[in-house]
Amino acid sequence: MESQNSSDLYVWTDQRCPICEKKPDRFVGKRGGVSHREGLGVECEIWRCTSCSLVFPNPMPFPKNGLGQHYDVDADDYFKEHDTEGRLDGAKSLLERAEKILGHKGKLLDVGVGRGETLVAAKELGWDAEGVEPSSTFADYAEERTGLKIWREPIEDSSVPDNEYDVIVLAAVLEHLYTPDEIVRRISQALKPGGILYLDVPNEAGLYFRVGNAYQKLRGRDWCVNLAPTFSPYHVFGFSPKALKKLLAKYGLSPVYWNVYPGTSLVPSRGGVVGLLESAASKVVTGISSYGEMGTYIETWARKA
Ligand SMILES: [Zn+2]
């Protein structure tokens, strides 16, 4: 569901930094509605917590009808632009990496199962696997596809056992959720000592975002390109390497693998000269950002002490 252009569809609440518990102290820019080049979503103010560099809207627009307002769509529709075989191969190589780091297979929990590719791969490779998925659309789909146990509740309130899992996977999920601190706390609790968490998030301190924001400034706008709180893909919290390390450390998780990488360009191609220039510039940025920690995505494996 794209562009619900009404602020009435949201409850607006003061948002503190969930990691530092402080009020965000640097204004980054406006995002959405009249402050979006295609008018998507509703206008928000995006702020940064300078203690950890996390970025997020303040006030936070929370969907009045719950997460279903954003995500309650047919699973095939939601993922139709993704290639299923590719996702399954990706899931398999992720689990092979898990086995290498851990030294063995074991019990796995996939948080936010989507269409269930990670669970399908886990089952095929002989892991003991379960999923957590609050959306009944996705939970039904994954359960039917894999026959595995799906906990139908948000991870932060979930009744999954403590000290139980060797591996927990949180792929492309954390940036979508409204309580990232609670989620990492609950995951750490559910891991066995020595167990490992995989997570990946966009790097909102990467070159793509820096150049995008500088470009808006050059055009005389107080807009930013961070996050997408009220339109697809609904990113509400924006991590940097610093913010993510601080959040992991808060719950006893130490990175044993850390990769900041360029990935594919985030800018969809658009017609016209400006569109062409924007997309060309974004390709250059994507290329350059493979240096240092300027890449557009962060992925890590972190171990519980
Ligand atoms: Zn902070």
Side-chain angles (χ1 to χ4, degrees), residues 17 19-21 49-54 246:
C17 174
I19 303 173
C20 309
E21 286 148 38
C49 166
T50 54
S51 300
C52 70
S53 84
L54 191 71
K246 190 167 179 182

Side-chain angles (χ1 to χ4, degrees), residues 11 28 49 68 85 93 118 121 124 139 150 167 175 179 190 197 216 218 252 257 272 275 279:
V11 181
V28 178
C49 166
E85 280 306 308
S93 56
T118 303
E124 276 183 27
I150 312 288
V167 173
E175 68 273 23
T179 55
L197 163 67
Q216 297 302 340
L218 271 177
Y257 173 87
S279 127

Side-chain angles (χ1 to χ4, degrees), residues 215-292:
Y215 175 69
Q216 297 302 340
K217 214 170 238 178
L218 271 177
R219 300 187 82 186
R221 292 166 168 166
D222 63 348
W223 302 4
C224 67
V225 299
N226 298 92
L227 304 174
T230 60
F231 53 92
S232 178
Y234 302 107
H235 291 175
V236 294
F237 282 97
F239 294 86
S240 64
K242 185 179 167 186
L244 188 58
K245 281 177 182 157
K246 190 167 179 182
L247 177 56
L248 292 170
K250 190 172 170 185
Y251 296 108
L253 298 164
S254 320
V256 290
Y257 173 87
W258 184 263
N259 183 25
V260 184
Y261 63 102
T264 48
S265 163
L266 283 173
V267 178
S269 50
R270 184 170 74 138
V273 174
V274 174
L276 206 63
L277 282 174
E278 282 179 1
S279 127
S282 133
K283 274 177 196 142
V284 172
V285 167
T286 304
I288 294 171
S289 60
S290 47
Y291 299 99

Side-chain angles (χ1 to χ4, degrees), residues 70-82:
H70 290 165
Y71 301 109
D72 206 6
V73 293
D74 182 73
D76 272 318
D77 270 359
Y78 186 76
F79 289 115
K80 72 180 165 211
E81 69 271 36
H82 292 87

Side-chain angles (χ1 to χ4, degrees), residues 82-92 115 117 145:
H82 292 87
D83 124 60
T84 309
E85 280 306 308
R87 289 175 72 89
L88 197 55
D89 288 348
K92 280 183 183 161
R115 293 206 309 190
E117 268 90 5
R145 193 169 171 199

